[in-house]
Every structure is written in structure tokens, then in C-alpha cells.
Amino acid sequence: MLIDQHQRVHNYLRISLTDACNFRCFYCMPNEEVEVSPMSKLMSKDEIVAFATLFVSLGVDKIRLTGGEPLVRKDFAEIILALSALPVTLSITTNGVLVHKYIEVFKQAQLRSINVSLDTLNAATFLALTKRDQFQQVKDNIELLIAHNFSVKINVVTMNGINHQEINSFVRWTQAEPIHVRFIEFMPFSQNQWMSQKVFTFQQILQTIGHEFSYIKIKDGKNDTTKKYKVLNHAGTFAIISTMTAPFCGNCNRLRLTADGKMKNCLFSKTETDLLTLMRSGMNMIDAITQNVLLKEKALGGQLLTDFTQIETQELENRSMIAIGG
Ligand code: SAM
Ligand code: SF4
């Protein structure tokens, strides 16, 4: 079992398949011209499967594939089908634009739940946020996933003055559709234009929803990052990921592997362990993995302040979100 110095058991691994993406969300990546890693620096399919198998032997039973955009990887289907042979609950986070090409692969891999990121229900705002004119394709693909009976979670990075006005439109969407909308507080990463004034907080989100809807709290799972709610008589639910104002580190069970094979024990960890170099030199990785887990900081990688208004972004030591894997 992978246990840290704060007695938290880690059974959930998020694997980034690539640091490339077909969108350009400003809150996730530095700029349009960002360089992506050459394939030789990324984990190959066989290396991903070998890492996943090793982590499963150490107690991991849940794996999420992310990126960059995981579906831009040419060997995505082979990777997910190989991983589906492991005794894990497998899931994926995607921007949704290529989902229609992979419905059968998702079924073969026995995926049940898929997270799709969509920050706006307005095509012009979508273009401004992602720099790609693909709103309708993403929306259609969400409908396609629902039609094929996947459980769909919608990730909405909620930013003050940018899309906070749309919160209730997203909640309205849950009336007829069995989707699970998750409002995510805007987090700071390297060069992502974060400012504390752009954070639309957990409390502000709830207040906004309360102006239009009566909602109830529903039970959260032990390791959930979300606080879940439901408007009575709605088919779907909504939830809030409150990293900035009410972090959920106490029960954290997550570990991360970047696309270039570095292990991070927290989204905000300063340190990384270069597992890919160890693997390629035929060295034992178990000590490096257990040590990495053991040294996990109590909260927020030990570097984000609990009062988010005091965060100085230039002092943060981290990659951009696209290079970590969200
Ligand atoms: N490309 C895929 C997608 O967009 O879903 C997977 C990778 S993306 C980095 C994973 C998640 O991180 C997305 O839901 C995205 O909205 C979220 N994200 C990226 N930057 C963020 C930020 N600064 N604050 C909060 N969430 C962020
Ligand atoms: Fe790409 Fe996802 Fe980042 Fe947007 S959030 S740039 S879709 S990796």
C-alpha cells in the first residue's frame, strides 16, 4: 500500500498521456506557441502499461487518463484497451471534441464514467476561451455520450467576469439531462493569467444557484474532491471543486504521472520523481515511488496559501496544468 507521512492511503493514479492539445484554453497553457515534448521523451504505450501494472501491484485500483488532450494521442485506443485488462476502475478526462471517434473503444474498455470539460454554453465565449470554434461538436458529443448511457460529468472552470454569469444555465441543463456538472474554482499555475479577483468562490457559486433554485446537499464519497448537490426533480446533479477556498487534502488518495514519466504526489507539488529515467535504465522503481508518496505535504503541495488572496503567482514552483495533466 502507498501510505504517506499523514497516514493517507493512495489508490488513485492519474496518468497524463500527452502534453499536446487541440485546444488553447488560456487558464491551462501559457500561450499558442507552447512547445510539446517529442515522442521520445514521452512514455510509450508499453511504458504506460508497465507503470500502471506496477502501481496496481502497490494498491492502485483507480486510474484516470488525462493530458493535454488524451484523445489526440494516435495510440490512445491501444493504450486504453491494454489498461482495461487491469483490475482497476478506468476513466478519462477529455475536452470532448474527438469523442465521437472513440465511442466503441470506450465501450470495449468498459468505461462507465467520462469527464468532459465545457466552460460555457455560448459558442462565442467558447471560441474566446479555447481559441477553437468547436462548441457545437463538443455539445453534440456530450449528447452522444448520454445517448450511449455513459455517466457524464461536465467540468466547468468557473471564473469571475468570464463565465460566472452562466452558472445557472449549467444548473438548468441538469433538469432534463442526467449529467453531473462540476464547477471548479480557478487555480493558479505557471503563466495561466491567474489573479485572485478571477476566482469565483464555492460560496459565491452556491449563492448564485440559490437565487434561482432550491437545492439539497447529497452525500460525498470519502475521497471525493467535490461537494455534491442536487436540485429536487432535476435528472442530474451539480458539485463544486473548492481547491482555493475549502481544499479537500485531508482524504487525498491521488498520485500523478506526467506524460514525460515524472511522478507528482500532488497537483501543486514542487518536487517530481523521474520514474521514466529509472525505468529506461532498468532500475528498481519501488523505493522511489514509496519515498515520493511518503514525503507528500499535508495540503496543496505545501505551497499554496490557504488565504488565496495572498498568493503570489510568481513565487509558485510548478508546471502549467497542460504539462502536469489535470
Ligand atoms: N484536455 C482535457 C480536458 O480539458 O478535459 C484533459 C486535461 S485538462 C488539463 C483537465 C482539467 O483541468 C479540465 O477539466 C480543465 O478544465 C481543468 N483545468 C485546467 N486548468 C485549470 C485551472 N487553472 N484551474 C482549474 N481547472 C483547470
Ligand atoms: Fe487542452 Fe484541456 Fe488544457 Fe483546454 S483544459 S488547453 S482542452 S488540456
Side-chain angles (χ1 to χ4, degrees):
M1 274 209 292
L2 295 167
I3 305 183
D4 73 5
Q5 56 186 332
H6 307 288
Q7 306 311 316
R8 293 172 294 200
V9 177
H10 292 75
N11 64 330
Y12 182 4
L13 179 66
R14 300 169 78 104
I15 304 178
S16 173
L17 298 188
T18 174
D19 55 5
C21 187
N22 41 10
F23 286 4
R24 292 289 179 273
C25 308
F26 76 85
Y27 52 74
C28 175
M29 61 194 305
N31 58 50
E32 178 78 19
E33 307 310 329
V34 68
E35 274 188 34
V36 296
S37 305
M39 278 308 280
S40 61
K41 291 243 167 84
L42 301 186
M43 298 180 288
S44 68
K45 180 201 105 181
D46 290 343
E47 286 165 340
I48 291 168
V49 176
F51 277 128
T53 307
L54 179 61
F55 275 89
V56 167
S57 76
L58 296 170
V60 163
D61 60 8
K62 192 172 172 191
I63 292 181
R64 175 172 298 278
L65 302 182
T66 179
E69 173 48 38
L71 298 184
V72 301
R73 220 179 128 136
K74 298 273 180 294
D75 53 358
F76 170 78
E78 290 164 50
I79 293 171
I80 198 163
L81 290 173
L83 294 179
S84 71
L86 295 173
V88 290
T89 306
L90 204 52
S91 46
I92 169 179
T93 301
T94 170
N95 63 27
V97 75
L98 296 175
V99 152
H100 54 292
K101 301 190 173 179
Y102 288 100
I103 294 287
E104 288 312 314
V105 172
F106 294 158
K107 286 187 184 172
Q108 275 178 44
Q110 296 178 24
L111 282 197
R112 272 174 281 141
S113 171
I114 297 183
N115 292 11
V116 182
S117 302
L118 179 64
D119 306 313
T120 174
L121 296 172
N122 175 294
T125 311
F126 186 95
L127 176 59
L129 285 175
T130 64
K131 305 200 183 65
R132 298 292 183 266
D133 195 6
Q134 297 280 11
F135 171 72
Q136 202 53 50
Q137 184 69 65
V138 173
K139 189 83 189 320
D140 290 350
N141 281 349
I142 291 171
E143 302 296 340
L144 189 66
L145 287 171
I146 297 168
H148 282 272
N149 292 321
F150 291 101
S151 169
V152 182
K153 294 181 184 155
I154 311 287
N155 285 355
V156 186
V157 180
T158 311
M159 295 164 284
N160 191 22
I162 295 173
N163 63 347
H164 81 273
Q165 310 87 335
E166 295 194 53
I167 289 172
N168 282 340
S169 305
F170 276 100
V171 176
R172 234 169 278 134
W173 194 14
T174 69
Q175 186 171 6
E177 300 282 12
I179 50 171
H180 307 285
V181 172
R182 295 136 46 94
F183 299 106
I184 307 175
E185 288 179 343
F186 184 22
M187 299 182 272
F189 294 98
S190 173
Q191 300 171 60
N192 78 340
Q193 302 179 38
W194 185 90
M195 287 189 300
S196 61
Q197 298 90 320
K198 286 191 195 156
V199 176
F200 201 72
T201 65
F202 168 40
Q203 287 306 335
Q204 288 174 307
I205 295 169
L206 278 187
Q207 266 169 19
T208 305
I209 297 170
H211 288 146
E212 188 173 331
F213 300 98
S214 300
Y215 57 82
I216 55 164
K217 178 82 191 76
I218 50 181
K219 199 169 183 315
D220 301 316
K222 178 171 170 263
N223 302 114
D224 279 356
T225 53
T226 50
K227 299 175 178 63
K228 293 199 204 101
Y229 301 85
K230 184 175 173 67
V231 177
L232 289 176
N233 302 323
H234 278 205
T237 63
F238 72 90
I240 301 169
I241 301 183
S242 56
T243 314
M244 304 310 300
T245 61
F248 31 78
C249 306
N251 285 326
C252 184
N253 63 344
R254 293 164 175 71
L255 299 170
R256 295 182 136 80
L257 204 48
T258 63
D260 56 356
K262 312 280 193 307
M263 181 179 170
K264 280 175 81 77
N265 58 26
C266 171
L267 192 51
F268 300 106
S269 65
K270 290 183 192 171
T271 53
E272 302 179 345
T273 302
D274 186 357
L275 293 186
L276 188 57
T277 298
L278 291 179
M279 179 180 271
R280 287 183 179 174
S281 16
M283 288 164 76
N284 183 309
M285 291 172 286
I286 293 185
D287 287 349
I289 293 172
T290 48
Q291 194 64 12
N292 179 299
V293 177
L294 188 70
L295 295 179
K296 179 161 168 162
E297 299 276 356
K298 191 168 179 200
L300 300 171
Q303 62 168 338
L304 278 200
L305 300 170
T306 38
D307 177 0
F308 74 88
T309 63
Q310 301 301 314
I311 291 173
E312 299 286 349
T313 46
Q314 64 278 12
E315 285 172 13
L316 298 179
E317 289 176 41
N318 209 349
R319 305 179 180 213
S320 58
M321 180 65 130
I322 197 166
I324 300 171

